[in-house]
Amino acid sequence: ISPLVQRQLELLSEKGASSWLTSLPLKEYGFLLNKQEFQDAISLRYNLTLSSLNRPRLCVCGEPSTINHCLTCKLGGYVSLRHDSLKGTIGKLLEQVCKDTVIEPS
């Protein structure tokens, strides 16, 4: 087995790695995936090629839109989207237990 496949198997077998598959689809917390998002998540999980439908071939920075590049490029927007999504989810949860929670604007 190649080192990449070995590492992937280790990550997939970690405790909680499959919890997103059994979580309740709560729209208010962003846990509701449409068909495309679910297919993308499965492709990322199993290192499959993402569908090229509705996807640009090049990032706005000029590099090819590979999975790794899209998840790390600060110009492409995915890093900001992930940050804002997590920020919103944590902020909403904190608002339920802390009365002085302020969520930074995007």
Side-chain angles (χ1 to χ4, degrees):
I1 297 176
S2 73
L4 179 64
V5 172
Q6 180 64 36
R7 178 68 178 142
Q8 185 179 10
L9 289 173
E10 289 172 8
L11 292 173
L12 290 173
S13 54
E14 283 185 359
K15 184 177 181 181
S18 298
S19 60
W20 67 276
L21 289 168
T22 58
S23 66
L24 294 174
L26 302 172
K27 188 174 185 174
E28 66 181 300
Y29 296 114
F31 295 164
L32 185 62
L33 299 177
N34 64 33
K35 184 178 179 181
Q36 184 65 54
E37 292 168 336
F38 184 77
Q39 288 175 343
D40 289 350
I42 293 294
S43 296
L44 288 171
R45 179 176 171 81
Y46 295 110
N47 200 25
L48 303 173
T49 304
L50 290 174
S51 166
S52 62
L53 299 174
N54 301 321
R55 297 197 193 288
R57 293 189 191 280
L58 294 177
C59 178
V60 294
C61 71
E63 294 290 322
S65 287
T66 62
I67 292 173
N68 190 42
H69 180 77
C70 289
L71 294 175
T72 57
C73 179
K74 295 187 187 326
L75 292 177
Y78 293 110
V79 173
S80 297
L81 288 172
R82 286 195 329 256
H83 169 267
D84 291 346
S85 175
L86 185 59
K87 175 190 70 175
T89 300
I90 292 172
K92 287 178 184 177
L93 291 171
L94 283 171
E95 284 176 338
Q96 295 177 4
V97 292
C98 303
K99 56 184 169 185
D100 60 345
T101 301
V102 177
I103 301 172
E104 67 179 13
S106 295

